[in-house]
Amino acid sequence: MEIRQPIHSAHAKTLDTTGLREQFLVESLFRADEAVMTYSQIDRIIVGGVMPVTKPVTFSPELGKHTGTDFFLQRRELGLINVGGPATVQVDNRNFEVGAREALYVGQGAKVLEFRSTDPANPAKLYFNSAPAHTTYPHKKVTLAEASPETLGDPKTSNRRTIYKFLVPDVLPTCQLLMGMTQLQEGSLWNTMPCHTHDRRMEVYFYFDMADNGAVFHMLGEPTETRHIVVRNEQAVISPSWSIHSGVGTQAYTFIWGMVGENQVFKDMDHVPMTTLR
Ligand SMILES: O=C(O)C(=O)C[C@H](O)C(=O)CO
Ligand SMILES: [Zn+2]
């Protein structure tokens, strides 16, 4: 498991391209038959991907050495969204069928976690976020139809997009984790512009649905000290609470956002006036 330390905004603004990428970009999330994880000490979120191809992938009890617990989810909750082919996810003695663009919430305390692809030729890609948890809420699959959708933006400003809120209080209870997926309409390129920060929550963006030669220029930094990172298909960016998180692509794309921190109020954002940005 790769560890990322927290970062102060004053340090971040001194970084060059390599430094920004080392601090904020998660370059690789899917490797065949493996669980790949990055542990950010910002609110202790774990960002990962599981891609079972030739055999099931299991979260072994040894993962607990990274969290100082007997097993991985002893004091954590986990949410995943499938961006690949259909999967079966075993959680203790239950099996959940998780299709493309469906989510699964796994509550604190689940000991057995095993992931299988239905078709090795079309493997599942299970992108997940996990956060410290204080109590157990029921495991639950959430379909796209159950996610609470909101369409925002305008083709005139190239930011028409639909936000599917999978793991939010209107859909199910979680301790702190919020997750959803934002899909840009064809011809729209901008996400989250006008932009915002939320000092009370950190966020992770995972970009996908992109051509191999496509790119998203992800904007980060304090509103008056913006920087960018060039993000490729199926890469993620860690966004500290003090940072904006916005992007513009070379074509339409989709991204998954996950948030943890002080509250679960999606609209709790500090909106940044366009004229403030530097
Ligand atoms: O398209 C958007 O706007 C978003 O998806 C915004 C994110 O969900 C977000 O930043 C929530 O705080
Ligand atoms: Zn945000």
Side-chain angles (χ1 to χ4, degrees), residues 152 161 163 182 191-192 196 198 201 203 205 245 255 257 259 266 269:
L152 297 175
R161 62 202 190 280
I163 305 183
T182 300
N191 81 69
T192 327
H196 62 261
H198 22 69
R201 287 194 309 270
E203 188 155 359
Y205 270 24
H245 35 281
F255 66 97
W257 42 269
M259 289 186 275
F266 183 82
M269 296 168 183

Side-chain angles (χ1 to χ4, degrees), residues 120-133:
N122 180 25
K125 289 183 175 177
L126 304 157
Y127 169 76
F128 71 85
N129 291 166
S130 168

